[in-house]
Amino acid sequence: MNQRAIACFGDALVDARLAANEPLREALLRYFAWATTTTMGRYRESAADVPEVMSIPKWSWEGPTA
């Protein structure tokens, strides 16, 4: 399911007319893929498993930061 969501997001970026060589498009796709497969993947069983308070991971043009 994760890969299907990532593919749909990539298609949406194409629909938004972000060129394949556009740095913003690549950064958005990398962020979505990372968030989908790591952060969101931790709570795949139930939304009730998500803690009430969570920190927001930081992201830069190069990817996730400490």
Side-chain angles (χ1 to χ4, degrees):
M1 183 77 94
N2 288 343
Q3 295 308 315
R4 291 175 73 190
I6 294 165
C8 286
F9 187 78
D11 290 344
L13 294 174
V14 170
D15 289 347
R17 297 195 170 118
L18 286 173
N21 61 349
E22 175 71 36
L24 176 60
R25 179 177 183 259
E26 180 63 26
L28 289 171
L29 189 57
R30 286 180 54 225
Y31 173 77
F32 187 83
W34 170 76
T36 300
T37 58
T38 59
T39 307
M40 292 169 48
R42 290 183 205 152
Y43 308 106
R44 67 176 129 253
E45 297 300 319
S46 171
D49 294 339
V50 179
E52 288 291 324
V53 178
M54 292 180 63
S55 62
I56 298 173
K58 298 192 185 307
W59 185 267
S60 72
W61 288 104
E62 290 77 38
T65 61

